[in-house]
């Protein structure tokens, strides 16, 4: 069974940066469009960014210009570089497929606060 393990979260001041990583136990990245999601307390998960097999990316307006998604298929690893972080980015961040999802990992907490 595929396992997704996210890491890289933490506490950062507004304007700071973090780089999230997601490692999959199986070779799923080369087969699927992958994405980063986030979940605010009491809310449903929302899509933060996606990347296709060919490297085409998508960002909602809320993170466009600040977040960058990338992938290393050889390492089964997905990344999210987050710059110019805002308090409203505070959430638990997850990675998963987009058209096809796998069991959710534990996520990684990102807290943006002064």
């Amino acid at each position: 069974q595929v396992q997704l393990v996210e890491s890289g979260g933490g506490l950062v001041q507004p304007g700071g940066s973090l780089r999230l990583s997601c490692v999959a136990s199986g070779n799923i990245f080369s087969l699927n469009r992958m994405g980063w999601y986030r979940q605010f307390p009491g809310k449903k998960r929302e899509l933060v960014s996606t990347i296709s097999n060919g490297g085409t990316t998508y960002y909602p307006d809320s993170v466009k210009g600040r977040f960058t998604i990338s992938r290393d298929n050889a390492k089964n690893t997905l990344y999210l570089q987050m710059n110019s972080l805002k308090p409203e980015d505070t959430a638990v961040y997850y990675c998963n497929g987009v058209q096809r999802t796998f069991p959710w990992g534990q996520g990684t907490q990102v807290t943006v606060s002064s």
Side-chain angles (χ1 to χ4, degrees):
Q1 184 170 345
V2 172
Q3 287 187 316
L4 299 167
V5 180
E6 301 92 348
S7 63
L11 173 64
V12 63
Q13 292 187 341
S17 298
L18 285 173
R19 189 192 193 205
L20 307 184
S21 299
C22 170
V23 179
S25 59
N27 182 23
I28 64 170
F29 288 169
S30 63
L31 303 175
N32 295 277
R33 185 178 188 90
M34 298 297 298
W36 282 97
Y37 302 76
R38 65 185 178 187
Q39 187 169 24
F40 303 111
K43 299 292 182 67
K44 294 178 65 175
R45 285 189 191 97
E46 66 176 33
L47 196 59
V48 173
S49 179
T50 71
I51 185 167
S52 71
N53 293 342
T56 301
T57 58
Y58 159 79
Y59 306 95
D61 288 343
S62 57
V63 305
K64 191 177 296 181
R66 301 188 298 122
F67 291 9
T68 303
I69 189 172
S70 61
R71 63 197 293 167
D72 186 334
N73 291 344
K75 296 182 178 179
N76 295 330
T77 304
L78 190 71
Y79 303 99
L80 185 68
Q81 178 67 43
M82 305 188 297
N83 299 328
S84 303
L85 282 162
K86 304 175 181 180
E88 51 263 43
D89 295 318
T90 295
V92 180
Y93 285 71
Y94 303 84
C95 71
N96 214 315
V98 177
Q99 288 93 344
R100 177 188 176 186
T101 59
F102 302 90
W104 292 90
Q106 83 288 349
T108 186
Q109 174 71 48
V110 172
T111 302
V112 185
S113 175
S114 56

